[in-house]
Amino acid sequence: MHKLARSLSLIGAIVAATLIATATAASAAPARADGHRVTVMVHGFDREADISCSGAWNSARNLLNGNGWGDVVTFGYYNKATNCDLRLRGTTDTRIQEVGRQFAWTVYYLYSSKDIAIDVVTHSMGGLVAKAAIEGVNRYGVGKTPPDISGLTVDPDDIGATDWPRDWPPFLYIEDMVTFATPHQGIGSALVTACAITHEQCSDMRPGSGFISWLGKQPQSQMSTDYTFLASRHDDTVSVDSATNKRTAHHWALYDENASGGTLSHTSIRNTSTGDWQVEYGGSASEEGESSTYAAPLVRMMDGLYDQQAQ
């Protein structure tokens, strides 16, 4: 059983019974805290739809918990996903935009409507889900009157059963987002092309798909959102340009080898917290990247969530 800290008292209440919440209109966006926000973690695509949230995020979660982050929450979006604090019972045919809409309402219901800002950490397709939540709100929710959701009940193990309003929330407060190996520009491999025949989420992830074209680069939540994209030159699933969105993030890092010649795969980049790594890094304010010895990806994740403005 995961240790749930103060923000998860909200979730504990709905686990015990069901949480009834009354949304209020936002008075003003929360100020940047550059500190230990509630952090929500979103996993990536899984062809069998049976990913374990704890298995995907144990290394990252333990590191955050050990360094002052008490409020770390996992969000899963498959019906066979296990050990998730919050779960949408979707399938690999649930379009990424719809997963993003469900994620947006979940974040709004638990946090934004209560003027609580959060940070988000994602792996692979999870980054597209989180960005879709912000993009959908910006396109279809902003400017609308906050809905009365006081009569809703939410089961954290079946988020999709909630009778959400049919459109999108009116605002979201997401301060920082860190993505590991996310295909911001899609995945052009033959494997994904074949997968797209039978799995709608793979179809969405093809370069130039309607979804990728709709999504945009770094959509901003209503308190602005600072992005850090972490990628590996040795990722055999997502290209360098896609994982860094052609180096357009506020902060990006492209990992090569460590001192022993070790490399990071599409999966291991989200689990690695030790070693000195050769990395090219930069940001949207830089004309080009620099190369140097750099901290491990999970350490850089913490930088992306804490005191980012000083980076």
Side-chain angles (χ1 to χ4, degrees), residues 3-302:
K3 179 181 178 182
L4 303 181
R6 57 186 180 279
S7 75
L8 286 188
S9 62
L10 297 170
I11 297 172
I14 51 180
V15 170
T18 52
L19 178 64
I20 306 295
T22 301
T24 57
S27 53
R32 286 195 67 90
D34 292 314
H36 299 89
R37 293 280 195 195
V38 175
T39 302
V40 180
M41 305 185 122
V42 188
H43 64 72
F45 175 79
D46 186 274
R47 191 162 187 155
E48 302 304 319
D50 61 356
I51 193 166
S52 166
C53 287
S54 62
W57 291 119
N58 265 353
S59 296
R61 189 174 198 168
N62 289 342
L63 187 66
L64 289 175
N65 287 161
N67 284 274
W69 279 264
D71 306 337
V72 183
V73 185
T74 56
F75 178 88
Y77 48 82
Y78 290 132
N79 54 11
K80 293 186 287 184
T82 57
N83 301 312
C84 304
D85 298 317
L86 300 163
R87 181 171 66 152
L88 168 68
R89 297 194 179 194
T91 72
T92 56
D93 287 327
T94 306
R95 305 309 292 250
I96 301 175
Q97 186 184 86
E98 174 58 18
V99 180
R101 190 181 76 91
Q102 295 281 344
F103 182 68
W105 277 114
T106 303
V107 170
Y108 176 78
Y109 181 83
L110 290 174
Y111 305 112
S112 300
S113 66
K114 299 171 177 61
D115 293 332
I116 299 171
I118 68 166
D119 290 336
V120 176
V121 174
T122 72
H123 176 244
S124 196
M125 194 186 90
L128 303 182
V129 168
K131 286 171 57 180
I134 299 174
E135 183 67 24
V137 167
N138 290 345
R139 287 177 180 261
Y140 314 122
V142 170
K144 294 185 178 180
T145 301
D148 179 6
I149 55 176
S150 59
L152 291 183
T153 59
V154 176
D155 178 356
D157 194 47
D158 192 5
I159 292 296
T162 309
D163 188 21
W164 302 121
R166 298 184 65 178
D167 51 8
W168 294 70
F171 56 87
L172 289 179
Y173 297 145
I174 297 177
E175 181 173 12
D176 297 300
M177 188 183 302
V178 177
T179 73
F180 292 99
T182 286
H184 297 283
Q185 298 188 342
I187 304 174
S189 68
L191 182 63
V192 170
T193 300
C195 175
I197 298 172
T198 54
H199 301 271
E200 296 288 2
Q201 288 176 350
C202 287
S203 178
D204 285 342
M205 285 191 286
R206 291 178 301 173
S209 71
F211 170 75
I212 293 294
S213 298
W214 171 87
L215 186 58
K217 290 186 176 180
Q218 283 82 249
Q220 294 296 298
S221 74
Q222 280 55 62
M223 68 174 298
S224 79
T225 303
D226 194 277
Y227 285 89
T228 299
F229 295 163
L230 304 180
S232 171
R233 288 192 183 279
H234 302 274
D235 187 331
D236 61 359
T237 301
V238 179
S239 71
V240 166
D241 279 351
S242 190
T244 62
N245 217 354
K246 290 192 173 179
R247 299 167 171 80
T248 57
H250 301 113
H251 320 273
W252 55 268
L254 179 56
Y255 284 78
D256 199 343
E257 297 183 348
N258 64 12
S260 303
T263 60
L264 297 168
S265 69
H266 182 69
T267 299
S268 66
I269 190 172
R270 71 162 190 240
N271 299 324
T272 303
S273 60
T274 59
D276 294 325
W277 296 82
Q278 288 300 308
V279 174
E280 180 188 353
Y281 61 93
S284 56
S286 306
E287 293 184 2
E288 59 184 23
E290 301 179 37
S291 295
S292 182
T293 301
Y294 213 61
L298 290 186
V299 176
R300 185 63 185 90
M301 170 195 70
M302 291 195 295

